[in-house]
Amino acid sequence: MTEFALTLLRLAFLGALWLFVIITVVALRRDLLQPREARPASNRPVKPAKPAKPPKPPKAKKSDRVGPSLVIVDGPLTNTVIPLGTAQITIGRAPDSTIVIDDDYASSRHARIYPSDGGWIVEDLGSTNGTWIERTRITQPTALTPGTPLRVGRTTLQLRK
């Protein structure tokens, strides 16, 4: 093999390596950026907003209604209903979470929901991809209103009364 051909082969290999690095950086950047439609959450406490018309929960018999519940409306556990009592609910990939989500976009200890003054508060536990109420990323404990979508990774939950 001539010296010129060997030099061309080395340059082609170096170019392929740089192309791989650039493609990897672009993919990582895309995954880490927030969605464009997201609004930054304000630092002041959020008052529970009354939705214009919350979606109607599935009809249930009076004997089935125990109290407030958390319903998974989108994701791998769709249609799972978690009755809410007085204890907090933890959400994440960790096996000791109340709701275990098998999702690469959810952290081990992603969020928690706990009762407060007759309502429910959701708190992000320092997750990488954030916890979202509608299209707003929460940065502090925030009131969760019935019917409002709560997104953790690729899973969407709703509080139902």
Side-chain angles (χ1 to χ4, degrees), residues 4-160:
F4 180 70
L6 192 56
T7 302
L8 283 179
L9 189 60
R10 287 179 184 161
L11 287 175
F13 181 70
L14 186 61
L17 282 177
W18 272 108
L19 183 64
F20 174 74
V21 168
I22 290 170
I23 289 172
T24 303
V25 168
V26 168
L28 287 172
R29 184 175 180 264
R30 184 189 58 222
D31 286 347
L32 293 176
L33 289 179
Q34 295 179 2
R36 293 187 191 275
E37 72 268 10
R39 303 183 310 252
S42 63
N43 288 335
R44 54 193 150 100
V46 178
K47 294 180 182 176
K50 292 184 180 178
K53 236 182 183 181
K56 293 183 179 180
K59 299 213 177 209
K61 300 175 192 171
K62 287 186 180 180
S63 61
D64 291 346
R65 295 182 187 172
V66 177
S69 60
L70 201 59
V71 179
I72 300 176
V73 294
D74 189 26
L77 300 172
T78 302
N79 295 328
T80 302
V81 178
I82 299 95
L84 300 174
T86 56
Q88 74 174 1
I89 303 290
T90 55
I91 304 169
R93 288 187 303 170
D96 62 340
S97 296
T98 310
I99 303 173
V100 179
I101 298 175
D102 186 25
D103 184 354
D104 292 337
Y105 292 96
S107 298
S108 295
R109 307 221 184 302
H110 198 100
R112 73 180 181 127
I113 301 173
Y114 58 93
S116 175
D117 297 328
W120 291 88
I121 305 293
V122 61
E123 178 181 12
D124 185 76
L125 299 176
S127 64
T128 304
N129 293 316
T131 303
W132 300 76
I133 294 181
E134 290 187 289
R135 293 186 177 189
T136 304
R137 184 176 183 162
I138 62 169
T139 57
Q140 61 189 10
T142 306
L144 184 61
T145 56
T148 305
L150 169 68
R151 189 166 46 101
V152 173
R154 292 183 177 161
T155 302
T156 306
L157 306 102
Q158 277 186 349
L159 175 66
R160 303 245 173 108

